[in-house]
Amino acid sequence: MKIYIVRHGETPWNKKKLIQGQQDIPLNDYGRELARKTGEGLKNVPFDRVFSSPLQRAYETAQILTEGRNLSIETDDRLKEIKFGAAEGRSIIEARAEKNDPIGNFFDSPADYQPVEGGENFHQVRERGMEFLKERILPLENQCENILMVAHACIIRSIVSGILELPLKEFWAGPPYKNCCVAILSCENGIIQVEEEAKLYYELSDK
């Protein structure tokens, strides 16, 4: 069984480099364009089941990716982005420029990240991501050949790094997770492996 995990398309907050977390921000037109191009790249993959974060930027991406297919989109709260609590809406650039700012550690020193009020830590996000795989995806191995999941950068990286058993300090190791990038996993005899990370089906020069 193959599992394709797609990050949502671009939003206005992505473009402005604002911290989204679980704020329900919609796609912008460029984000929809990226989703259409990614859907074209995946058109020959016959998906059996589709799962999505319920946040609209992920759900609309899933709708675009599966347009013209007779597939329902199943949502699960465990696929939501990490919750940043009181930090949601802040500028990422400004936060990273401030010494000892927790958001700076989130990106630059994940082992030292401590969330602000109302936020989640990396362990909590990885736990719910791996729980989702175990409870919703692994049981489908003998029923499905291809699964599509649409989610967010941190939860996808939590799943991938959990499978790879990376220490927290290496959470962001590997390629950047750009909008509509695809992580491709394989599942055989109950064992999930990472085949490819952050694959793009559009040209970087598009933006």
Side-chain angles (χ1 to χ4, degrees), residues 89-140:
R90 292 186 61 201
S91 164
I92 295 173
I93 295 174
E94 291 178 6
R96 294 179 80 170
E98 294 181 18
K99 187 176 181 180
N100 299 322
D101 191 294
I103 300 304
N105 283 338
F106 175 82
F107 292 101
D108 303 321
S109 184
D112 299 317
Y113 176 64
Q114 295 294 326
V116 300
E117 181 181 355
E120 292 178 291
N121 61 41
F122 283 111
H123 295 291
Q124 291 170 310
V125 180
R126 181 179 287 184
E127 183 177 10
R128 62 176 164 91
M130 298 305 288
E131 179 186 81
F132 173 83
L133 279 190
K134 181 179 179 181
E135 293 184 3
R136 300 295 300 275
I137 301 301
L138 282 179
L140 299 176

Side-chain angles (χ1 to χ4, degrees), residues 3-191:
I3 305 156
Y4 296 77
I5 315 181
V6 183
R7 186 189 175 200
H8 62 80
E10 186 185 82
T11 71
W13 281 28
N14 285 144
K15 190 173 182 64
K16 294 178 181 178
K17 300 191 183 304
L18 301 179
I19 298 167
Q20 290 186 114
Q22 295 191 3
Q23 295 297 306
D24 202 6
I25 311 302
L27 297 177
N28 59 20
D29 287 342
Y30 183 68
R32 296 182 183 97
E33 179 186 348
L34 295 185
R36 285 191 290 271
K37 289 184 176 182
T38 303
E40 179 69 18
L42 294 172
K43 67 180 180 180
N44 293 323
V45 180
F47 293 115
D48 302 295
R49 296 279 289 274
V50 183
F51 298 91
S52 175
S53 157
L55 296 177
Q56 60 179 317
R57 59 188 183 270
Y59 192 84
E60 186 180 1
T61 300
Q63 289 179 309
I64 294 171
L65 292 173
T66 58
E67 190 173 0
R69 305 188 192 219
N70 186 26
L71 292 167
S72 61
I73 301 170
E74 305 170 57
T75 60
D76 195 297
D77 284 347
R78 289 172 292 186
L79 293 178
K80 285 183 177 180
E81 183 56 297
I82 187 172
K83 185 188 296 183
F84 285 103
E88 292 179 1
R90 292 186 61 201
S91 164
I92 295 173
I93 295 174
E94 291 178 6
R96 294 179 80 170
E98 294 181 18
K99 187 176 181 180
N100 299 322
D101 191 294
I103 300 304
N105 283 338
F106 175 82
F107 292 101
D108 303 321
S109 184
D112 299 317
Y113 176 64
Q114 295 294 326
V116 300
E117 181 181 355
E120 292 178 291
N121 61 41
F122 283 111
H123 295 291
Q124 291 170 310
V125 180
R126 181 179 287 184
E127 183 177 10
R128 62 176 164 91
M130 298 305 288
E131 179 186 81
F132 173 83
L133 279 190
K134 181 179 179 181
E135 293 184 3
R136 300 295 300 275
I137 301 301
L138 282 179
L140 299 176
E141 183 183 353
N142 295 319
Q143 305 172 33
C144 301
E145 291 186 4
N146 297 287
I147 302 292
L148 175 64
M149 294 167 49
V150 184
H152 312 264
C154 186
I155 181 63
I156 299 173
R157 186 61 195 167
S158 294
I159 290 171
V160 169
S161 64
I163 294 168
L164 296 174
E165 299 182 344
L166 295 179
L168 196 51
K169 66 180 181 179
E170 297 179 23
F171 186 87
W172 296 115
Y177 277 48
K178 297 183 180 296
N179 291 111
C180 281
C181 69
V182 185
I184 304 174
L185 316 180
S186 63
C187 178
E188 186 172 359
N189 297 323
I191 304 298

